[in-house]
Amino acid sequence: MDERQLRILRELGELGSVTAVAEALLVTPSAISQQLRLLQRSIPVPLTERQGRRLVLTDAGQTLAGSAIEVESALERARRSVGEFLDRPDGEVSVAAFHSAAATFFPLLLRALAGPGTPVPRLADEDVPQEDFPRLTREYDLVLAHRLDHAAPWPDTVTATTLLREPLDVAMPAGHPLAAKRRVTPRDVAAEPWITVHDGFPVLATVEAIAAAAGRRLHLAHRINDFAVAAEAVAAGGGLALMPRWTTRPHPALVLKPLSGVQARRHIDALHRPERTARTAVRTVLKELQEAARTIQAG
């Protein structure tokens, strides 16, 4: 039993023939007859009977048709409620981000949404391997994820909006011999100890590309995912590290040098399930994230 079958029964009680119901609902008479047969199979007593050339409802059919009115009314109320939910400009919106994106985007987002009548952000940090970001869209409305420029695209199960295409630079102490160079090459940095991320995180692939371009293995001295912690380790002489150009806080003891000879750039994308942006509040937050990205790149 479903809404369509109940509506057909209700219309049959008013119009008195399958042909008239088919004309009213803009379908074929055979389609109406099929739905009536399916409905009858789910009810243990007859719903219709013949009176001459007319097909009329039995007492049980009339009772069920009366219930159809209540069902349609309840469904219409439900549709209105869903519509109001989707159109609300000030609903809660959950946003997850990996650490460096969270540190950069979240303050701008909170300031942009501080006024009345705006969405209410619910923020969380989620530092996961690249392949796990799409799964987070089950739990959050929007997920800020990163992947390398040349990596495979995100799966079709999620929609991705690119916020930034951010260069990865080589971080080194300000007094390092390479700090005087405008740019560095893989051969320049290959002999240095390195501070890099754990396996499965995007930046590691660029470190491996540096090794390949230099024709030698790099000494991976330390594994640190948090760029702020890695910056302190670089400043203390622990080695070189790849750092995002825009989404890490400047460190007074470090300099960042562009890298030649290797494609060193990451995407920061906002991932979401397609149905999430049916909500006005989610679309508003996504727009504010795009505005924040422009501010970050310009600043």
Side-chain angles (χ1 to χ4, degrees):
M1 183 188 310
D2 61 30
E3 174 195 5
R4 180 177 52 175
Q5 293 168 351
L6 290 176
R7 185 181 181 193
I8 288 172
L9 191 69
R10 177 186 176 188
E11 295 291 346
L12 180 62
E14 295 179 7
L15 299 175
S17 77
V18 168
T19 301
V21 174
E23 291 175 355
L25 299 183
L26 303 178
V27 297
T28 64
S30 61
I32 297 298
S33 297
Q34 181 185 27
Q35 292 301 315
L36 286 172
R37 286 195 296 270
L38 291 173
L39 178 60
Q40 182 63 74
R41 288 177 191 170
S42 65
I43 305 296
V45 294
L47 298 174
T48 62
E49 61 184 7
R50 285 283 178 186
Q51 286 187 1
R53 301 185 64 180
R54 287 174 54 83
L55 185 66
V56 300
L57 302 185
T58 64
D59 290 344
Q62 291 173 2
T63 300
L64 189 57
S67 299
I69 299 174
E70 298 177 16
V71 170
E72 289 195 37
S73 298
L75 287 172
E76 183 57 33
R77 288 194 298 272
R79 292 188 190 99
R80 285 200 302 269
S81 297
V82 170
E84 291 168 1
F85 169 72
L86 294 177
D87 292 339
R88 279 189 61 186
D90 57 349
E92 289 190 1
V93 178
S94 56
V95 184
F98 60 95
H99 291 157
S100 58
T104 310
F105 278 88
F106 283 179
L108 294 172
L109 189 62
L110 287 169
R111 294 186 188 107
L113 300 176
T118 58
V120 178
R122 293 289 180 255
L123 308 179
D125 62 327
E126 291 279 2
D127 195 28
V128 299
Q130 180 177 324
E131 65 269 16
D132 288 341
F133 280 112
R135 298 174 195 167
L136 293 177
T137 60
R138 294 188 183 97
E139 303 173 44
Y140 301 98
D141 294 312
L142 297 167
V143 175
L144 271 60
H146 56 149
R147 66 178 181 89
L148 293 181
D149 206 9
H150 57 277
W154 301 110
D156 293 338
T157 54
V158 299
T159 299
T161 300
T162 297
L163 301 177
L164 287 175
R165 292 180 175 89
E166 182 177 31
L168 299 172
D169 296 329
V170 179
M172 61 189 69
H176 194 281
L178 294 174
K181 297 175 70 73
R182 189 174 68 87
R183 304 179 70 88
V184 294
T185 67
R187 289 186 179 275
D188 291 332
V189 300
E192 302 285 335
W194 276 83
I195 302 162
T196 189
V197 295
H198 293 276
D199 291 342
F201 290 81
V203 175
L204 184 60
T206 302
V207 173
E208 293 168 346
I210 293 171
R216 59 175 292 176
R217 295 184 64 181
L218 302 186
H219 172 43
L220 305 183
H222 309 288
R223 296 295 189 110
I224 301 172
N225 272 16
D226 190 299
F227 286 123
V229 178
E232 295 298 336
V234 173
L240 306 183
L242 285 176
M243 294 280 180
R245 184 175 297 175
W246 300 316
T247 57
T248 52
R249 293 181 181 178
H251 193 292
L254 300 186
V255 293
L256 298 182
K257 294 296 175 178
L259 182 64
S260 298
V262 169
Q263 191 174 12
R265 192 171 67 165
R266 71 174 181 178
H267 287 208
I268 297 180
D269 297 328
L271 308 183
H272 62 83
R273 299 203 164 197
E275 66 272 15
R276 301 280 185 156
T277 48
R279 293 179 55 205
T280 297
V282 174
R283 294 197 302 272
T284 298
V285 172
L286 181 57
K287 182 178 178 181
E288 291 297 343
L289 287 170
Q290 292 172 301
E291 184 61 36
R294 286 189 282 269
T295 299
I296 290 164
Q297 186 169 354

